């Protein structure tokens, strides 16, 4: 018998994967997505009616802060009293409802609230200063005459937007945009409003800071306790936080915590320190020429034109942010032209009804879409019902207008940040490794914030800015334009992106992604999101669509 050796088969050799190339991906790669995945309801899907009504009320509360702040700032400077302030707030709310309904039905068709704009501060203050030396029978008479002058300026200057929109000039200008331009423009739409965030919150830290902390913890962390809590807190957590901190502020006010405080502290921390509830009428419907016949002065009209141009730029950036957060395609040029033209008609109506300032797309309400993950157009349309109701029934509207402004400032810290982050998300459609693109992004973003901050910080309380020539109206135009971060970012970004080797870096700029949305039939979803209701587009000339 022959003994055989015990030969064992060697284990198979496992081929080791080659090391990744230098600079290659070492983790998951996230490909560009045109729509956000965490959105619960997009632009044309609707939550149940009870939820939609509560969400609409939430939109009303968010837009109320800017309305009250503008009226509280301008009306005393015009010579108005607390009753005048209440009537101005009612008018601004009423016009916000009208213009929001028009814009969501016949304009951009995006879920954007059209609220009062801070861009009109400089030209309005210029009008106030022009009448400072004029003799009036009373301060109320000075207020009424100033409002009539603002009326006339708004009505005439609205022609700018009407022309830019319905002549399609504005839409053709937006064809020069690329994702490289959209990033800084949308970013500074949120970041440029930082002065309305923590600096405003710091006016009353004991109210503003708890609101900010409670909103972050309650809306983001506590919702993970239970699936049911996630639904409630994610969508309605902001209302709970406002109610809790507002009640806390009321307790401090009643307890006399601010009895011996400085006037600025009382104005910021106390509930209804302006006595809006007692001075507001029970029922009052804003009506055309409520302050009297408008007063027209050429210098005022030209000065107001700068603010009108600024609202076009700011609304355009806000529309791009709203479209992304609502799950829609980027708004095509013909839609942007249509929306800016309708915004001009809105400014005409603002002047007709005697609003203190014109309207623009509300950035904070777009941020609310990102906070709640609800991009439904119907929700925003329902919110106009609250605007109409509280603008007519003044006592009820004044009750919510008594919410201390630092509470709104805490909300803005979150909402403006969301809008700024949405701007960054457009970078995925361009080459983020291109040094050319990074140069344009950096310069546009920095100058958009830096230049505007210089103009704002060197603008006095009476509206005089850094540009000082013999022509007051010329000063107002330039000071207003360069005080707006989105306007500066559009000018710098568009100029650099279209002159620095634009053809050679065509693909790096992300043009191939954006161009299909420029045409009415370029993407099948364009008609789905932006067509006018009730087949109106079949009966209107194409230039007005």
């Amino acid at each position: 018998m022959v003994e055989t050796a015990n030969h064992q088969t060697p284990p198979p050799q496992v081929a080791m994967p080659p090391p990744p190339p230098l600079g290659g991906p070492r983790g998951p790669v996230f490909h560009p997505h045109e729509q956000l995945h965490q959105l619960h309801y997009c632009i044309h899907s609707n939550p149940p009616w009870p939820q939609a009504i509560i969400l609409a009320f939430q939109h009303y509360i968010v837009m109320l802060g800017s309305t009250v702040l503008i009226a509280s700032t301008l009306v005393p400077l015009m010579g108005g009293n607390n009753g005048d302030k209440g009537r101005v707030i009612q008018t601004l709310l009423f016009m916000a409802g009208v213009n929001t309904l028009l814009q969501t039905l016949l304009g951009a068709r995006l879920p954007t609230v059209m609220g009062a704009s801070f861009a009109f501060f400089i030209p309005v203050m210029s009008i106030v200063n022009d009448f400072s030396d004029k003799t009036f029978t009373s301060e109320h008479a000075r207020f009424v005459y100033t409002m009539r002058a603002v009326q006339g300026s708004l009505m005439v200057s609205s022609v700018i937007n009407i022309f830019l929109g319905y002549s399609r000039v504005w839409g053709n200008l937006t064809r020069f945009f690329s994702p490289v331009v959209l990033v800084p423009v949308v970013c500074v739409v949120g970041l440029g409003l930082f002065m309305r965030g923590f600096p405003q919150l710091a006016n009353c830290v004991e109210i503003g800071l708890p609101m900010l902390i409670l909103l972050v913890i309650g809306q983001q962390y506590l919702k993970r306790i239970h699936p049911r809590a996630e639904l409630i807190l994610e969508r309605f957590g902001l209302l709970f936080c406002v109610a809790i901190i507002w009640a806390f502020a009321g307790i401090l006010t009643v307890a006399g915590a601010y009895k011996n405080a400085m006037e600025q502290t009382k104005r910021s921390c106390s509930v209804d320190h302006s006595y809006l509830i007692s001075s507001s009428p029970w029922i009052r419907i804003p009506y055309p020429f409520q302050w009297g016949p408008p007063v027209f002065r050429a210098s005022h009209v030209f000065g107001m034109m700068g603010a009108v141009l600024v609202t076009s730029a700011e609304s355009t950036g806000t529309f791009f942010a709203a479209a992304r957060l609502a799950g829609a395609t980027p708004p095509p040029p013909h839609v942007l032209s249509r929306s800016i033209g309708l915004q001009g008609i809105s400014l005409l109506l603002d002047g007709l009804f005697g609003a203190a300032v014109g309207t623009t797309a509300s950035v904070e309400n777009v941020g609310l879409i990102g906070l709640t993950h609800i991009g439904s157009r119907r929700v925003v349309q329902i919110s106009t019902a609250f605007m109409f109701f509280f603008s007519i029934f003044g006592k009820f509207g004044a009750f919510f207008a008594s919410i201390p402004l630092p509470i709104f400032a805490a909300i803005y810290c979150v909402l403006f940040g969301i809008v700024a982050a949405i701007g960054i998300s457009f970078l995925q459609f361009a080459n983020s490794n291109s040094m050319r693109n990074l140069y344009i992004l950096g310069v546009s973003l920095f100058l958009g914030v830096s230049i505007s901050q210089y103009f704002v910080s060197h603008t006095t309380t009476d509206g005089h800015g850094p540009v000082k020539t013999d022509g007051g109206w010329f000063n107002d135009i330039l000071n207003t334009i360069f005080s707006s971060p989105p306007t500066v970012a559009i000018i710098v970004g568009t100029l650099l992106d279209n002159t620095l080797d634009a053809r050679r870096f065509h693909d790096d700029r992300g043009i191939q992604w954006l161009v299909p949305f420029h045409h009415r039939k370029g993407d099948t979803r364009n008609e789905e999101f932006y067509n006018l209701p009730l087949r109106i587009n079949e009966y209107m000339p194409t230039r007005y669509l």
Side-chain angles (χ1 to χ4, degrees):
M1 183 176 181
V2 180
E3 183 177 356
T4 59
N6 186 18
H7 296 288
Q8 294 184 355
T9 305
Q13 296 293 326
V14 180
M16 297 296 293
L22 186 63
R26 297 178 181 271
V29 177
F30 301 99
H31 298 285
H33 290 285
E34 293 179 356
Q35 293 180 314
L36 302 174
H37 291 167
Q38 291 81 16
L39 197 64
H40 299 317
Y41 294 94
C42 69
I43 184 171
H44 52 47
S45 58
N46 305 306
W49 277 100
Q51 292 188 31
I53 293 173
I54 300 175
L55 289 165
F57 179 70
Q58 199 165 229
H59 271 282
Y60 165 75
I61 291 295
V62 167
M63 65 83 59
L64 186 61
S66 296
T67 305
V68 174
L69 180 58
I70 288 175
S72 300
T73 304
L74 291 179
V75 172
L77 298 175
M78 294 178 177
N81 53 33
N82 291 328
D84 296 326
K85 186 190 301 183
R87 286 186 285 275
V88 168
I89 292 175
Q90 287 179 273
T91 305
L92 290 174
L93 286 176
F94 186 82
M95 295 315 302
V98 171
N99 297 331
T100 300
L101 205 56
L102 286 175
Q103 198 64 243
T104 54
L105 287 173
L106 304 175
R109 299 279 290 153
L110 289 166
T112 49
V113 171
M114 304 301 291
S117 172
F118 284 86
F120 293 87
F121 179 82
I122 292 177
V124 170
M125 284 308 304
S126 180
I127 296 174
V128 172
N129 293 331
D130 278 355
F131 300 139
S132 60
D133 298 331
K134 189 172 181 178
T135 303
F136 294 95
T137 57
S138 66
E139 282 295 287
H140 178 71
R142 183 166 76 91
F143 164 77
V144 171
Y145 193 82
T146 304
M147 287 297 298
R148 290 168 57 194
V150 172
Q151 274 186 274
S153 301
L154 283 173
M155 292 173 66
V156 178
S157 61
S158 66
V159 176
I160 297 293
N161 271 6
I162 294 174
F163 170 77
L164 289 176
Y166 291 122
S167 67
R168 294 189 175 181
V169 171
W170 190 261
N172 289 329
L173 288 175
T174 61
R175 292 181 186 275
F176 292 98
F177 289 1
S178 73
V180 178
V181 178
L182 291 178
V183 172
V185 170
V186 179
C187 271
V188 298
V189 163
L191 290 180
L193 300 173
F194 67 91
M195 288 302 295
R196 287 164 57 192
F198 200 85
Q200 189 77 32
L201 178 155
N203 290 334
C204 189
V205 177
E206 61 267 32
I207 291 176
L209 195 58
M211 177 65 196
L212 178 59
I213 295 173
L214 184 62
L215 180 60
V216 173
I217 293 177
Q219 210 265 346
Q220 295 295 324
Y221 290 92
L222 293 183
K223 71 178 184 180
R224 307 178 191 280
I225 296 177
H226 191 273
R228 189 73 175 176
E230 179 177 4
L231 174 68
I232 296 175
L233 291 178
E234 185 174 78
R235 300 182 184 179
F236 315 116
L238 187 144
L239 283 180
F240 291 128
C241 295
V242 169
I244 293 171
I245 303 300
W246 188 17
F248 174 64
I251 292 173
L252 292 179
T253 302
V254 173
Y258 308 112
K259 186 176 182 180
N260 300 318
M262 298 175 60
E263 184 62 27
Q264 172 65 29
T265 304
K266 289 181 180 179
R267 191 161 50 247
S268 299
C269 301
S270 299
V271 174
D272 195 31
H273 180 67
S274 298
Y275 305 103
L276 289 176
I277 298 177
S278 58
S279 59
S280 296
W282 278 103
I283 300 177
R284 180 179 182 274
I285 301 176
Y287 55 90
F289 305 120
Q290 58 180 318
W291 311 110
V295 175
F296 300 99
R297 186 176 290 186
S299 59
H300 298 164
V301 172
F302 283 115
M304 195 72 75
M305 286 180 179
V308 171
L309 290 172
V310 165
T311 58
S312 301
E314 292 178 345
S315 293
T316 299
T318 307
F319 288 148
F320 275 100
R324 179 135 180 80
L325 281 169
T329 56
H334 74 276
V335 171
L336 292 173
S337 289
R338 186 176 71 197
S339 63
I340 296 302
L342 191 60
Q343 189 169 315
I345 295 177
S346 298
L347 290 171
L348 178 63
L349 293 175
D350 290 334
L352 193 68
F353 278 79
V357 294
T359 53
T360 188
S362 171
V363 180
E364 50 265 39
N365 289 88
V366 172
L368 183 61
I369 295 174
L371 186 70
T372 59
H373 302 174
I374 307 293
S376 171
R377 183 192 295 126
R378 177 182 292 175
V379 168
V380 172
Q381 291 172 337
I382 295 174
S383 71
T384 61
F386 290 102
M387 299 175 200
F388 290 134
F389 177 84
F390 290 114
S391 66
I392 294 173
F393 297 94
K395 294 289 186 186
F396 298 102
F399 174 72
F400 290 104
S402 67
I403 299 175
L405 291 176
I407 292 180
F408 291 108
I411 297 172
Y412 296 158
C413 289
V414 176
L415 302 186
F416 292 158
I418 292 174
V419 175
I422 281 298
I424 298 174
S425 72
F426 282 100
L427 187 56
Q428 64 182 308
F429 305 114
N431 184 2
S432 59
N433 293 314
S434 167
M435 288 302 297
R436 172 199 177 273
N437 288 353
L438 294 177
Y439 174 85
I440 295 173
L441 290 172
V443 173
S444 303
L445 189 59
F446 183 82
L447 290 182
V449 175
S450 183
I451 292 177
S452 60
Q453 179 58 24
Y454 169 79
F455 273 78
V456 170
S457 61
H458 287 77
T459 299
T460 58
T461 53
D462 56 1
H464 294 296
V467 179
K468 298 176 182 178
T469 66
D470 294 336
W473 61 271
F474 182 75
N475 300 341
D476 291 343
I477 290 177
L478 291 187
N479 287 327
T480 302
I481 288 176
F482 289 105
S483 296
S484 167
T487 307
V488 176
I490 283 180
I491 294 172
V492 176
T494 305
L495 184 64
L496 291 177
D497 188 48
N498 288 276
T499 56
L500 288 179
D501 291 330
R503 291 185 178 180
R504 187 157 68 93
F505 291 92
H506 181 273
D507 292 341
D508 286 355
R509 297 166 61 202
I511 296 294
Q512 68 275 14
W513 170 75
L514 195 58
V515 163
F517 303 115
H518 284 173
H519 306 287
R520 199 182 301 267
K521 303 290 185 179
D523 190 289
T524 56
R525 295 168 294 176
N526 281 355
E527 292 188 355
E528 176 187 356
F529 296 134
Y530 298 110
N531 261 9
L532 297 178
L534 303 176
R535 301 170 65 183
I536 295 177
N537 53 297
E538 297 180 9
Y539 307 103
M540 291 181 64
T542 309
R543 72 176 63 182
Y544 300 121
L545 299 178

